[in-house]
Amino acid sequence: MALSGNLTIFVVILFSPNLHTPMYFFLSNLSILDITLTSSIMPKLLDICLTENHSITYIGCFTQVVFFVICVVAEYFLLAVMAYDRYAAICCPLRYVAICHPLRYSTFMNFYLCACLALVSWLCGLLDSSTYLSLLSQYTFCKSNVINHLFCDLKPLLKLSCSNTQSIESAIQVSGALFGFTPLVFIIISYVFIISAILKIRSTKGKQKAFSTCSSHMLQWSSCFLESSSGCI
């Protein structure tokens, strides 16, 4: 269901010229992220449920860690970029409408800028996961071979290591501040300007349209922040 739903979103956006806008471009990236995350975790989990084969290879376990970190970090930055996209769409000279004039809007968010921002988001995830992978590959795991989690996540793996894990724990804290807290602050600042601009819209219908445009994004980054706070990274 996750694969079919996200593939449908991606295909519809790809083959619908009227959806070739920055917002739907970033939504298609989020769909790809969800497909990648689901594909890296769910097949093994389903295998465990159906065959009761609870074993996982060393390489397979590390692969889950890498793709999970890539997807989570990239999602944080994509949501921050989408906040900038909403800021650019609303905070324009035509403040009395929820969505600004397309000709003016294109000066804020052109395709080249969108592609660069999406690429940077993916590269940040790749950089973060590469750091963890290089540190994990130096550790030995001798305490147990049982991972007390649904999949191979960083913290459950560290509990099994008999090496000194201070370096990777420090890296997790730095990563949380850099790749988690920074996008959150940027999103909050962006929405302060967004809400300020919406409140200046004179028509009630315009305000409702603007809030409806941004509400789903606000709920999504809020859920991601709560997920991060619960210790998923």
Side-chain angles (χ1 to χ4, degrees):
M1 291 179 65
L3 290 176
S4 60
N6 284 288
L7 282 174
T8 300
I9 292 173
F10 180 78
V11 171
V12 168
I13 293 174
L14 182 64
F15 291 101
S16 301
N18 59 318
L19 298 182
H20 292 175
T21 62
M23 181 179 71
Y24 287 102
F25 172 76
F26 293 125
L27 284 176
S28 64
N29 272 267
L30 288 176
S31 295
I32 296 173
L33 275 174
D34 200 18
I35 291 172
T36 304
L37 183 60
T38 304
S39 301
S40 63
I41 295 175
M42 288 305 298
K44 182 57 188 175
L45 184 59
L46 292 174
D47 177 59
I48 292 173
C49 295
L50 294 174
T51 66
E52 296 187 359
N53 176 22
H54 294 262
S55 62
I56 186 170
T57 63
Y58 185 82
I59 295 177
C61 189
F62 274 35
T63 301
Q64 285 191 338
V65 173
V66 168
F67 280 100
F68 177 74
V69 174
I70 289 175
C71 292
V72 171
V73 174
E75 184 174 8
Y76 288 161
F77 278 91
L78 279 174
L79 291 175
V81 168
M82 290 176 71
Y84 172 79
D85 174 45
R86 295 299 87 206
Y87 172 71
I90 295 175
C91 296
C92 59
L94 303 178
R95 291 174 184 262
Y96 58 89
V97 292
I99 305 299
C100 69
H101 195 280
L103 294 178
R104 180 60 175 163
Y105 178 60
S106 62
T107 63
F108 287 94
M109 300 295 294
N110 54 61
F111 177 77
Y112 177 76
L113 177 60
C114 292
C116 289
L117 291 172
L119 179 61
V120 169
S121 300
W122 284 92
L123 289 177
C124 286
L126 182 60
L127 174 64
D128 200 28
S129 64
S130 300
T131 302
Y132 291 141
L133 181 61
S134 62
L135 292 173
L136 280 174
S137 61
Q138 301 174 13
Y139 294 160
T140 56
F141 300 89
C142 56
K143 290 183 179 180
S144 174
N145 63 349
V146 178
I147 302 172
N148 187 23
H149 203 54
L150 291 173
F151 63 98
C152 292
D153 200 0
L154 279 173
K155 288 190 175 181
L157 278 178
L158 293 181
K159 293 179 180 179
L160 307 182
S161 176
C162 52
S163 305
N164 185 2
T165 60
Q166 184 177 358
S167 58
I168 194 169
E169 289 175 357
S170 300
I172 291 175
Q173 294 177 355
V174 173
S175 172
L178 183 62
F179 296 126
F181 186 71
T182 302
L184 175 64
V185 171
F186 183 81
I187 289 171
I188 292 175
I189 293 174
S190 298
Y191 269 97
V192 168
F193 286 102
I194 288 172
I195 294 173
S196 175
I198 292 175
L199 293 177
K200 294 179 180 179
I201 298 175
R202 295 182 178 180
S203 67
T204 304
K205 186 176 181 180
K207 290 181 180 180
Q208 292 176 348
K209 186 176 181 180
F211 276 120
S212 64
T213 303
C214 303
S215 59
S216 60
H217 177 250
M218 293 176 70
L219 289 173
Q220 188 168 9
W221 73 254
S222 298
S223 64
C224 285
F225 175 69
L226 292 174
E227 180 182 345
S228 176
S229 300
S230 64
C232 286
I233 301 187

